Amino acid sequence: MKYRTFPKTGEQISLLGFGCMRLPETGGENPRIDEEEAIRMIRYAIDNGVNYVDTAYMYHDGKSEVVVGKALKDGYREKVLLADKLPVVFIKEEADQQKFLDEQLRRLEVSTIDMYLVHNINEAYWEKVKKYDTLRFMKEKQEEGIVKHVGFSFHGETPEFFREVTDAFPWDFCQIQLNYMDTELQAGVEGLKYAGSKGIPVIVMEPLKGGKLTDVLPASVRAYWDGIAEKRTPADWALKWVANFPEVLTILSGMSNFEQTKENIRILSDADANALTQEELDVIERVAAEYNKLIPYSCTVCKYCMPCPVQLDIPYLISLRNEATIFESPEKISETVKSFVRPLPSTCIACKQCEEKCPQHLPISDIMAESARMFE
Ligand SMILES: NC(=O)c1ccc[n+]([C@@H]2O[C@H](COP(=O)([O-])OP(=O)(O)OC[C@H]3O[C@@H](n4cnc5c(N)ncnc54)[C@H](OP(=O)(O)O)[C@@H]3O)[C@@H](O)[C@H]2O)c1
């Protein structure tokens, strides 16, 4: 396993971190985490050099923290930095913050959390963070020693907003979504570089775009990969693309089976910053271009369509609809929509105000109806 230095403490952190949002599940109508297999995978990863484990309050309906707690028994807790997140989405009053942290410690069966993040900061949740004085709470818990290092995970809309959040607190680290298809999404490469310029190490999530870059490959992308002389898996290319950035401290992957765990350990045991050649970077750029050719609705996120009278996040919903075609993954998008997107696309009242303003003349109300059919 390769390691990178956590600037605050000088600790060596494994380049692969175990993301516990996509643990293996039992089948059937009400799938549960396959505890035995999940614990075997997490412990195997730790035995093979992984020393960063990431979970959150809502992963697997609250069961991820419980299973992580079990996996970290028998001496494993001391071998890792344990990351967990304050669920801003559920906070209704200031006192909730302490209640959530207490519940998390109980579920995990630990007395401290090493890396505690304000979860999922976007423009709306940032207002809640201010309203409930969350940053003061985080500082207080750090001073009490319950939480060692304070960070935030980011899903806001722009690099400008990422800079605002980054500048608002003496963060020890931050977490952003980054993969070779999302270079300009949310914080993007621009945000990564900004955090780096301030000496804030970056934890990367969704390096395989939640599995969309590895699952069902469109024919044109598969043909391109097949035509390359050097045989590597799509996961190998994608993880090494992220590892190439020196600003990245750890790459979280949500491994769902034992083979993926073994493969990602292998890949990130052989990856360095600034190690990719120009030819390799060109290959990845070509693959991204192949994916981009498949985009059905060419939204440029100019946001002229906004605000929507029923508060739909139109550009985001169009991006999800596009992803369902590009990555041939409507089932995965459906999970995201049902769990995280509000209001749902079916809320659209087809008033068509947005269509009058869209410079690309996109049939937005039809796209919303199509999205409702596909995802809801
Ligand atoms: N803070 C936040 O707001 C936030 C948001 C998202 C994620 N996270 C954290 O970041 C972690 C990483 O994000 P992610 O889970 O989206 O990571 P990811 O690596 O982009 O996606 C994981 C998925 O990729 C596929 N995969 C992984 N390794 C593979 C391999 N070697 N070969 C083929 N497919 C492979 C699997 O999909 P299949 O099961 O379909 O094969 C797996 O479920 C999460 O687990 C979570 O801990 C945090």
Side-chain angles (χ1 to χ4, degrees):
M1 178 54 54
K2 292 281 181 174
Y3 294 86
R4 293 195 180 170
T5 307
F6 184 30
K8 185 180 168 194
T9 60
E11 280 165 287
Q12 295 298 296
I13 315 290
S14 57
L15 190 49
L16 176 64
F18 208 118
C20 298
M21 188 176 85
R22 304 182 196 272
L23 295 169
E25 291 186 330
T26 58
E29 270 191 14
N30 298 308
R32 289 173 291 107
I33 297 176
D34 180 344
E35 272 194 32
E36 201 180 317
E37 186 62 358
I39 292 170
R40 188 168 83 96
M41 284 161 51
I42 295 170
R43 290 187 174 184
Y44 176 87
I46 298 171
D47 290 340
N48 284 277
V50 169
N51 64 8
Y52 193 103
V53 176
D54 174 272
T55 184
Y57 186 81
M58 65 277 278
Y59 293 172
H60 291 278
D61 286 332
K63 297 295 184 307
S64 171
E65 290 175 330
V66 175
V67 172
V68 167
K70 290 183 185 176
L72 295 185
K73 286 182 185 296
D74 303 326
Y76 282 88
R77 170 70 185 95
E78 292 69 37
K79 296 181 182 175
V80 298
L81 288 184
L82 172 59
D84 204 347
K85 316 187 186 86
L86 181 69
V88 179
V89 59
F90 298 134
I91 297 172
K92 294 204 174 67
E93 56 183 0
E94 210 171 312
D96 285 347
Q97 307 183 115
Q98 185 65 50
K99 283 186 208 154
F100 283 122
L101 176 57
D102 289 342
E103 191 180 350
Q104 291 177 301
L105 293 169
R106 258 198 317 277
R107 285 180 180 179
L108 287 160
E109 297 186 72
V110 298
S111 52
T112 57
I113 292 171
D114 304 302
M115 317 290 280
Y116 200 49
L117 300 90
V118 182
H119 197 178
N120 188 6
I121 292 190
N122 59 25
E123 285 74 358
Y125 295 160
W126 189 232
E127 293 310 309
K128 289 183 83 175
V129 166
K130 291 183 198 159
K131 182 172 173 191
Y132 298 121
D133 218 354
T134 302
L135 301 183
R136 184 195 48 76
F137 172 78
M138 299 294 276
K139 185 108 204 89
E140 230 172 69
K141 296 304 121 187
Q142 193 174 27
E143 283 163 5
E144 288 169 19
I146 314 261
V147 161
K148 285 201 194 138
H149 312 296
V150 170
F152 66 100
S153 72
F154 185 82
H155 287 291
E157 283 184 23
T158 61
E160 292 71 39
F161 177 55
F162 178 77
R163 279 203 287 276
E164 181 188 331
V165 175
T166 305
D167 292 344
F169 187 78
W171 304 104
D172 298 317
F173 67 105
C174 64
Q175 183 164 313
I176 65 169
Q177 173 168 338
L178 191 70
N179 57 66
Y180 66 74
M181 290 301 295
D182 290 337
T183 54
E184 291 178 19
L185 189 84
Q186 302 174 10
V189 172
E190 192 181 329
L192 171 84
K193 298 279 172 195
Y194 185 70
S197 74
K198 296 197 71 177
I200 301 174
V202 177
I203 315 286
V204 167
M205 55 189 159
E206 311 209 21
L208 305 176
K209 211 167 165 51
K212 295 187 201 94
L213 299 179
T214 49
D215 286 355
V216 187
L217 302 185
S220 56
V221 171
R222 175 159 295 289
Y224 185 73
W225 283 134
D226 288 348
I228 293 169
E230 197 179 338
K231 294 301 169 215
R232 300 193 213 162
T233 62
D236 190 308
W237 284 101
L239 291 176
K240 287 201 175 130
W241 182 86
V242 178
N244 204 45
F245 291 101
E247 295 84 359
V248 170
L249 180 64
T250 299
I251 304 171
L252 300 176
S253 183
M255 292 148 296
S256 309
N257 62 46
F258 203 79
E259 280 315 304
Q260 292 174 355
T261 311
K262 283 211 294 208
E263 192 191 2
N264 294 353
I265 290 170
R266 175 191 65 71
I267 295 166
L268 292 177
S269 297
D270 173 32
D272 288 304
N274 299 317
L276 293 184
T277 63
Q278 191 53 50
E279 288 73 27
E280 289 172 318
L281 291 169
D282 290 346
V283 164
I284 294 171
E285 207 172 303
R286 275 292 307 277
V287 171
E290 288 298 333
Y291 274 119
N292 283 327
K293 276 188 212 162
L294 303 170
I295 293 177
Y297 298 112
S298 58
C299 169
T300 61
V301 198
C302 68
K303 297 189 188 161
Y304 284 22
C305 54
M306 301 289 278
C308 161
V310 290
Q311 273 82 48
L312 287 167
D313 184 346
I314 296 170
Y316 179 56
L317 287 169
I318 296 177
S319 77
L320 292 177
R321 170 63 195 86
N322 281 339
E323 287 191 1
T325 299
I326 303 168
F327 302 108
E328 300 180 8
S329 58
E331 299 78 18
K332 281 205 161 176
I333 310 278
S334 175
E335 280 169 32
T336 305
V337 170
K338 286 189 209 149
S339 308
F340 299 111
V341 175
R342 294 295 179 273
L344 289 162
S346 56
T347 312
C348 174
I349 51 172
C351 67
K352 298 187 192 265
Q353 285 179 30
C354 49
E355 292 182 20
E356 285 163 22
K357 293 183 272 179
C358 175
Q360 312 303 320
H361 308 293
L362 293 175
I364 297 172
S365 51
D366 289 349
I367 299 172
M368 294 303 125
E370 199 173 68
S371 301
R373 277 196 304 279
M374 287 172 84
F375 307 138
E376 293 178 44

